[in-house]
Amino acid sequence: MSKTPMAAIAAFAFAAASASAANVKVTPLGTHDGEFCAQDRALVFEDPNGTRILYDPGRSVAGAEDPRLGKIDVVLVTHMHGDHAGNIHIKDVNQGECGKPDTPVSSMPKSLAVEIALAKKSKMVTGSEMQAFFAAKLKANGGNAADSMLARYGGSVTVGGVKIATVTAMHSNGLDPDYIGGDLGKAMKEAGIAGDVGLATGYVLRFSNGLVAYLSGDTGITADQQTIGAYYKPNFAVMSIGGNPNMTGPQEAAFVMNDYIKPASVLATHVNEAATQGGKVLPNSKTAAFQKAAKMSVYVPLSGKTMEFDGGGHCRAGC
Ligand SMILES: [Zn+2]
């Protein structure tokens, strides 16, 4: 018996609903609504099963009370630089210029990452020696040291159904002596010496719908990216493209994407420029150069605009 039109519509609606339920939602938390701005780093990934993961809170989240955060199950920190762990941050969205947002609030000596983990009772998953540092910070501020979980290179942990591994990021990772304070912190600062919390990392996340996301962290080109592509086979990437003098710029980042990681889609991040105006990419921006040089779909994280990616890394909504 053939379906009545109503039944066909209902079946279609159900298929559409279950397709959207199988997508990973990615929501950028930037400094300016609807734009992609200089200090924007923070992204919230939501697995179809509801697990929510915050990647590098940085300076564009308005403290642990920022209503955009919602429930956070896991906080990821690629390295200890202030624009990732969060030394200072915005007081509210849309303050200052997109190219130079106002970030008047200090999170030192805790870091915004720790403040959020404490408030949300999140796990923190980091590699190298950052795990011990965050465990001590959580404990010193009334939290649970065991909430700081280790995923050293080659290992992984699974939290809320999402498998989290750390991978190489070729970058510096000195700990600002302001995290230490006291006479020791002062002496280190005067000598120009940073604390040692091990190597910087990137991440590979495997979500329950099959999406495999490579989160580059800040990095140069490294042969390890070829191995990451070969072994984890990421179908989605978040790539830092900030360029001189810190890390890969648009051309180097495009090479890494085209030749090593080869995802279906990539989200540009860490651009250190006002990349958009009215939500449109500015033609002379690094972001535009990256879009031109990368062979796959390049998306732009507009603050507050949720994108949805299926298990194959293809954008299904919001891009
Ligand atoms: Zn950075």
Side-chain angles (χ1 to χ4, degrees):
M1 198 175 86
S2 66
K3 281 177 181 160
T4 64
M6 278 308 286
I9 290 165
F12 177 78
F14 177 77
S18 51
S20 129
N23 293 336
V24 171
K25 293 182 181 143
V26 184
T27 306
L29 306 184
T31 60
H32 288 68
D33 290 331
E35 305 287 1
F36 180 28
C37 294
Q39 287 290 318
D40 293 3
R41 312 283 187 266
L43 300 169
V44 175
F45 293 87
E46 184 176 318
D47 189 273
N49 71 18
T51 298
R52 285 168 63 86
I53 298 176
L54 174 65
Y55 173 59
D56 277 353
R59 295 170 176 157
S60 64
V61 176
E65 314 76 39
D66 190 324
R68 300 177 300 173
L69 285 170
K71 175 184 82 126
I72 297 294
D73 300 293
V74 183
V75 178
L76 305 177
V77 181
T78 56
H79 64 294
M80 293 309 309
H81 292 167
D83 58 326
H84 296 261
N87 58 345
I88 51 173
H89 61 80
I90 61 168
K91 192 155 180 270
D92 206 347
V93 291
N94 305 324
Q95 305 300 306
E97 304 298 314
C98 181
K100 201 176 184 307
D102 290 345
T103 50
V105 186
S106 172
S107 286
M108 297 301 281
K110 287 207 280 282
S111 79
L112 180 55
V114 166
E115 288 176 349
I116 292 170
L118 287 166
K120 305 288 182 183
K121 302 196 185 319
S122 329
K123 306 290 185 199
M124 301 184 79
V125 178
T126 54
S128 60
E129 276 84 47
M130 290 183 279
Q131 179 266 337
F133 171 77
F134 284 124
K137 279 287 178 204
L138 290 174
K139 194 177 168 202
N141 292 285
N144 182 3
D147 283 344
S148 177
M149 301 170 73
L150 178 67
R152 200 166 279 148
Y153 298 129
S156 64
V157 292
T158 300
V159 185
V162 181
K163 190 173 178 183
I164 303 168
T166 61
V167 293
T168 310
M170 204 57 82
H171 196 62
S172 60
N173 193 27
L175 184 78
D176 186 329
D178 285 349
Y179 282 110
I180 299 162
D183 288 344
L184 176 63
K186 192 164 171 277
M188 288 173 73
K189 195 140 224 179
E190 280 167 9
I193 295 172
D196 179 11
V197 286
L199 298 166
T201 75
Y203 291 93
V204 173
L205 310 182
R206 181 181 291 275
F207 293 92
S208 68
N209 71 341
L211 186 79
V212 179
Y214 166 63
L215 315 180
S216 72
D218 290 1
T219 186
I221 297 174
T222 157
D224 287 13
Q225 286 156 331
Q226 193 166 20
T227 306
I228 293 163
Y231 180 73
Y232 295 100
K233 298 185 171 51
N235 49 31
F236 175 78
V238 176
M239 188 70 203
S240 293
I241 65 162
N244 289 326
N246 284 310
M247 67 188 87
T248 51
Q251 301 307 329
E252 294 88 352
F255 170 82
V256 170
M257 289 295 107
N258 295 342
D259 287 60
Y260 285 173
I261 303 293
K262 303 174 185 169
S265 308
V266 55
L267 202 57
T269 191
H270 200 309
V271 290
N272 294 347
E273 66 181 358
T276 62
Q277 199 170 42
K280 299 272 173 276
V281 174
L282 293 166
N284 292 324
S285 62
K286 286 182 267 189
T287 306
F290 179 62
Q291 282 183 317
K292 212 169 162 198
K295 289 175 186 156
M296 63 289 302
S297 303
V298 178
Y299 300 110
V300 173
L302 301 176
S303 183
K305 305 268 186 224
T306 298
M307 295 161 276
E308 296 192 23
F309 293 88
D310 66 18
H314 298 283
C315 188
R316 293 300 179 196
C319 291

